[in-house]
Amino acid sequence: MHKPLLALSTGSLRKLWMAAAWASGAAITLIDEPLAALDKPSMRYVQETLNEFTVEDQQERFATARRCVIVTHWDAMQDVEWDGVLTLT
């Protein structure tokens, strides 16, 4: 809170924008390379959040469906329970 936006590190900016996207309530969120520039604890937190995201969607059956599309070329994030995975060769 004490730093101006432009003074944040790449990892902090990435976390900020992901949090903003998830909190927005948007029907679909696209995140490119979510783990890039993050330290290990932040990587674990992002993966835990993605798992909660899918559980939340399943519990809110009558709410508007929300989806998060992740694009990554180096990590399949095996700790996340995906609804589907598309692998391009």
Side-chain angles (χ1 to χ4, degrees), residues 14-35:
R14 184 169 294 277
K15 290 185 278 188
L16 173 70
W17 291 122
M18 280 191 282
W22 290 326
S24 73
I28 188 165
T29 303
L30 173 64
I31 300 176
D32 184 30
E33 302 292 347
L35 303 182

Side-chain angles (χ1 to χ4, degrees), residues 30-75:
L30 173 64
I31 300 176
D32 184 30
E33 302 292 347
L35 303 182
L38 298 184
D39 56 11
K40 291 288 184 187
S42 296
M43 288 180 177
R44 279 192 302 275
Y45 185 79
V46 166
Q47 292 182 60
E48 289 169 6
T49 301
L50 287 170
N51 276 329
E52 290 174 12
F53 195 89
T54 58
V55 168
E56 177 183 304
D57 283 345
Q58 293 168 2
Q59 290 174 350
E60 294 180 10
R61 295 180 186 180
F62 301 106
T64 303
R66 296 184 325 152
R67 294 289 174 244
C68 190
V69 177
I70 303 295
V71 178
T72 183
H73 75 278
W74 61 275
D75 189 344

